[in-house]
Amino acid sequence: MRLRMTSLITAGAVAVAGLLAPPATAGAAGADGVLVRTIADSPVPVERVRVHAGSRTPVEIDPAAAAGIASGTRVRLRGGTVTPLSSGGASAFGITGTHHVTVVPVYWATTSVPSGQPTTAQLKTSAQALDGYWNAATAGKIRVAVAKVTAWKKIASPASGRCVDIDALETAAKRISGSIGTSGRDHLIIYFPQVSGCGWSGLATLGAGMSGDMVMWLNGSSHLQTIGHEFGHNLGLRHSNGAACYNNAAHQVQVPLSLHCDVVGYDDEYDIMGSRATGYLSAVHLGELGLLPSSASRRLVKTSTVTLAPVSARSGLRQVVVPMGRRTYHLEYRTAVGLDAGVDDEYGPGAGVIVRYIDLSLNVPYENWGETQLVTFSPASERVALAAGESWSGLGMSFAVKAASSTGATVTITQPADVTAPTVNPKPRAVLRTGTVSTTVVPVQVQWGLRDTHEITGLQLARRLGGSTAAPSFVKLATWERGRAVTATANRSNTWLIKATDEVGNTGVTSGAATKVTLNKRPSKTYKGKWKTAKAASYLGGSEQVTKAKNASARFTVTTRSIGWIATKDKTRGKAAVYIDGKKVATINLYKSSRKTKQLVFTRSWSKPGKHTITIVNLSKKTVGVDGLVHLS
Ligand SMILES: [Zn+2]
């Protein structure tokens, strides 16, 4: 059986509840501050996102609201939404080079330093061990120097419930250490005698903290397993987990790999971000640190045979990425050398080809991309890796290790052939949008949906006009776009086409339904109250129906799926209410300091065509006009 490394997490009482303060909601008034992500290494790790604004109590925010924002970034908080104000965070600096750590040991519950605590010399040795590990794990790209270790110092109690207030600890430690620098490679390690109520042995900022430096809180633990792991969090790395997969949704029989899998926290004994004190970083983590050149990782989208170099090698292909549905599988090869020398020992996790996956259907707070799950290919014997001659097949794919030596493993990866072009559903369809119209051109938004088992690598949009035989002229889009503001030609049939290509090379063109754009200049015989005809060449049809009478109304009934009201805006104009099918849906202010005619000021769309009535009611004694209506079939 494998040795379960438990030094990372505090055995015994688990006070996750003490760690999880109820999330505060951002004040409506809003505040600017620094977004800080922290991760606590309790049995169930707890990731928190907080915004520190001056001396105020930090505001805890929903990780989903902060997705994609790096820790250490200045943000604006307003009504629960978070907007970055700078590109800050550690990512603004390079992480390669020499990192400096300052170690500050503190205590508070006793009159003198409690017995059994490490000396400052021992803490220095622990911090120096960071260099031994990270230098070897990154081939010298990340070095660690100990800037200083301050003397043990008694501080005011930062106790909070059963645990500690990490902000109070940070403030107290910085009072002792002084500023530690904000180069993006400066770390503060706060060491304190164990508080068992915390439930975590280490806690770290996931990237930069509130002052641009990176912070680790060590709860009575200075093992490399804890300190090296927290350092990895400071670099932005998340966890290397295990996967426990079952034959069915009822979890009856454990199998190597299926779609019914549980995350087993930290259960990756190859990687310091899992449960191993040493061992090379996974190729996934090397990639996240920018330390895996593009030639060292290959994405496979069709059946292939490749030779993987050991992950410890400094050249060659060290990772294969196989996308399948909502998961990407990451293959790498481990041999018993260097940091992995003990991999084949009695308690080692075993040499061979190992597979991790990232499951995109797992949700925040773990933000998918950083969290990996390690596959155990022989659940009964807890053997993780595939050795030469071994294979696994299922889920429509297979991994077979044909040969393995100290220099490489030859692996055949089969996967179902993707011969299908991306599916465009819903098909491209236009709806009206506000903007300026002319007698020939109307602003519209074209929208569509897109799906494929692989990534979309090419996306283009074109339009065909009714009666035209010319080849459509495609415009390149970003592959993530699912809508675009364009114009349609009035009183013609417009058809939009989407051309999409997947990463396997399948391309398809999908056309939407033809959309007739009907531009009705100054519709007549539908007005109530006092209206008159104003004439000017700048109006759509040379004239506009206008009223200054309060409550005067114009009412039109059209069979359509998108309708728009065209009017003039200027400083003499007032407000109007818009009713759709008898229900008030908007108030439109036509006031504008500089005159603008032919404005599509209101639009409304439906999923299907139907008979709808639009009523415009003057709310003021100022002018409100109807220059025209536009509607789409
Ligand atoms: Zn951790």
Side-chain angles (χ1 to χ4, degrees), residues 225-239:
Q225 171 64 48
T226 305
I227 194 169
H229 176 105
E230 303 308 332
F231 187 88
H233 283 320
N234 275 181
L235 300 181
L237 299 180
R238 286 184 171 82
H239 288 136

Side-chain angles (χ1 to χ4, degrees), residues 367-523:
E367 284 224 338
N368 308 322
W369 58 269
E371 292 265 324
T372 56
Q373 269 73 256
L374 177 68
V375 177
T376 297
F377 280 106
S378 307
S381 63
E382 295 198 341
R383 211 156 62 78
V384 172
L386 290 175
E390 292 184 328
S391 64
W392 177 85
S393 65
L395 298 177
M397 59 184 178
S398 71
F399 307 117
V401 181
K402 304 291 187 189
S405 72
S406 61
T407 56
T410 302
V411 193
T412 298
I413 297 116
T414 60
Q415 47 182 310
D418 175 359
V419 293
T420 312
T423 304
V424 179
N425 183 28
K427 290 177 177 172
R429 199 179 77 117
V431 293
L432 292 165
R433 63 181 170 90
T434 55
T436 305
V437 304
S438 74
T439 51
T440 54
V441 167
V442 174
V444 295
Q445 172 84 9
V446 179
Q447 295 159 336
W448 59 90
L450 203 50
R451 269 187 300 114
D452 195 87
T453 53
H454 287 105
E455 269 182 24
I456 307 295
T457 52
L459 186 60
Q460 296 180 66
L461 174 68
R463 182 183 61 151
R464 193 163 47 216
L465 277 179
S468 168
T469 53
S473 155
F474 281 95
V475 175
K476 263 195 180 170
L477 308 178
T479 54
W480 47 262
E481 282 184 74
R482 299 295 178 265
R484 186 165 263 223
V486 293
T487 54
T489 299
N491 303 320
R492 291 280 294 272
S493 153
N494 297 252
T495 303
W496 280 273
L497 304 97
I498 287 288
K499 183 194 265 187
T501 304
D502 66 21
E503 63 182 324
V504 185
N506 301 303
T507 295
V509 175
T510 304
S511 101
T515 298
K516 178 92 191 287
V517 180
T518 304
L519 191 57
N520 189 354
K521 299 166 198 167
R522 196 165 63 77

Side-chain angles (χ1 to χ4, degrees), residues 8 39-42 45 202 204 229-230 233 237-239 266 272-274:
L8 187 67
I39 191 154
D41 285 305
S42 36
H229 176 105
E230 303 308 332
H233 283 320
L237 299 180
R238 286 184 171 82
H239 288 136
Y266 306 102
I272 201 164
M273 299 318 291

